């Protein structure tokens, strides 16, 4: 019985770690986008990028596989997740006005 308890305690960190998707959100010009929204399509699970444009997001179920990144002034992008590889979003700037005269 003692061996079972010791084995359980040693394996507990490995059993409790959830799988995560990690990645980075950048502009098409390879500038990091701070505070970009990253979320699973059709859920309330999401996060924002840090000061370097990186994010970590837990995988809740195997059925959800569309990851979305959005940022003000940029077009929203969706990537289908196939595995645990690092994801890199490259968002294109949306059409903006050249000049506004008041």
């Amino acid at each position: 019985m003692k061996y079972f308890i010791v084995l359980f305690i040693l394996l507990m960190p490995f059993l409790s770690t959830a799988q995560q998707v990690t990645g980075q959100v950048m502009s098409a010009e390879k500038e990091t986008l701070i505070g970009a929204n990253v979320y699973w399509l059709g859920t309330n699970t999401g996060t924002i990028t840090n000061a370097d444009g990186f994010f970590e997001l837990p995988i809740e179920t195997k059925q959800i596989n569309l990851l979305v990144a959005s940022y003000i002034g940029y077009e929203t992008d969706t990537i289908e997740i196939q595995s645990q590889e690092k994801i890199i979003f490259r968002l294109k700037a949306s059409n903006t006005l050249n000049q506004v005269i008041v």
Side-chain angles (χ1 to χ4, degrees):
M1 184 67 178
K2 288 182 183 179
Y3 295 115
F4 178 72
I5 294 172
V6 172
L7 182 63
F8 181 75
I9 291 172
L10 291 174
L11 292 177
M12 194 166 175
F14 297 106
L15 298 174
S16 65
T17 57
Q19 294 181 344
Q20 292 191 349
V21 172
T22 60
Q24 186 175 22
V25 180
M26 304 176 79
S27 68
E29 294 80 29
K30 297 185 181 180
E31 297 175 4
T32 58
L33 298 177
I34 301 167
N37 298 306
V38 180
Y39 58 94
W40 293 110
L41 186 64
T43 69
N44 293 328
T45 305
T47 188
I48 61 171
T49 57
N50 65 11
D52 297 321
F54 289 100
F55 67 89
E56 290 183 355
L57 191 60
I59 298 174
E60 291 186 347
T61 64
K62 303 250 182 215
Q63 296 172 348
I64 303 169
N65 61 354
L66 294 176
L67 194 61
V68 180
S70 65
Y71 193 74
I72 295 174
Y74 290 84
E75 295 178 6
T76 301
D77 192 15
T78 304
I79 294 178
E80 186 174 355
I81 305 301
Q82 298 294 331
S83 64
Q84 298 263 172
E85 75 237 13
K86 183 179 173 184
I87 306 301
I88 298 178
F89 284 99
R90 301 230 192 250
L91 302 182
K92 298 176 191 173
S94 62
N95 294 334
T96 58
L97 298 174
N98 293 332
Q99 183 177 10
V100 176
I101 301 173
V102 179

